[in-house]
Amino acid sequence: MAKRSMIFIVMFCLSALALGYAADANEGTWKLNEKKSKIAAGAAKNTTVTYTAAGDSYKCVTEGTDGSGQPLHTEWTGKFDGKDYPVTGDSSANTRSMKKVDARHYKLVNKKDGKEFLTGAVEISPDGKTRMLTTQWKDASGKEKSSTAVYDKQ
C-alpha cells in the first residue's frame, strides 16, 4: 500500500510541475470578433494576433489595418516583465512592454522614442477562449481615445 501511495504522490507532483510549465494563456492565435469590439474611428485594427513561445520570451505577430485602412503587420518579441522590447511595423511605436499581472491579466505600454504613446490591458476569459484588449491613447490633437478589441481563440 505504501508503494502505491508513493507512486500516486510522485505522479501528482509531476503533474503539478507540468502544469507550472504549461503554455501562457496569451499564447496562440486570436481572431478579432468585430461584432463584440468597439474600435475607435481612425484607430489601428489588428484582425489577427498570434503569440508563440520564443525561447524564454514570447513573439507577437499582428495582422490588420492602420488608422487609414492600409495593411499593417507588426512584430514584437519580449518577456512579460514590464521592460521595453523593440516592436517593428508600427509607425506610432518602436518599443512595447508587457507585464503579466496574473495568469489571465496583462498590462502593456507602447512607446515612441521613449515617450509613452498607448497603454492597455489584456484579459483572458477563465475558459481561455476569449481575449479582450482595452487601449487608451491621445490622438494628434491631444484628444483622449480608447478601443476595446475582443478576440476569439483559434
Side-chain angles (χ1 to χ4, degrees):
M1 186 67 154
K3 189 174 182 178
R4 278 189 191 186
S5 295
M6 183 57 86
I7 290 172
F8 176 75
I9 290 170
V10 169
M11 294 302 287
F12 176 79
C13 290
L14 289 174
S15 296
L17 182 63
L19 287 174
Y21 288 101
D24 188 274
N26 216 12
E27 209 173 339
T29 298
W30 303 90
K31 295 278 186 190
L32 181 66
N33 184 325
E34 292 198 51
K35 290 180 182 177
K36 293 181 179 178
S37 299
K38 294 180 183 175
I39 309 295
K45 180 172 32 174
N46 294 325
T47 54
T48 304
V49 178
T50 303
Y51 279 90
T52 54
D56 64 347
S57 298
Y58 286 90
K59 182 175 183 175
C60 176
V61 176
T62 67
E63 301 291 343
T65 56
D66 66 14
S68 62
Q70 296 300 309
L72 180 66
H73 171 93
T74 69
E75 294 188 18
W76 173 87
T77 300
K79 297 178 183 179
F80 299 144
D81 59 5
K83 295 180 182 176
D84 292 339
Y85 295 93
V87 63
T88 59
D90 185 345
S91 63
S92 66
N94 49 27
T95 65
R96 175 178 303 143
S97 66
M98 286 195 70
K99 182 166 179 74
K100 187 173 189 173
V101 177
D102 61 36
R104 297 185 306 106
H105 297 89
Y106 305 79
K107 298 285 184 190
L108 69 94
V109 177
N110 281 1
K111 294 179 183 175
K112 179 75 171 191
D113 301 325
K115 185 176 178 187
E116 193 173 288
F117 167 73
L118 174 142
T119 61
V122 174
E123 179 179 356
I124 309 292
S125 64
D127 65 5
K129 294 180 181 178
T130 305
R131 177 181 188 270
M132 183 169 61
L133 169 65
T134 305
T135 54
Q136 301 83 35
W137 71 97
K138 290 183 182 177
D139 67 12
S141 66
K143 183 179 177 185
E144 297 270 338
K145 296 276 200 163
S146 67
S147 286
T148 300
V150 178
Y151 297 88
D152 298 318
K153 184 105 179 221
Q154 300 302 294

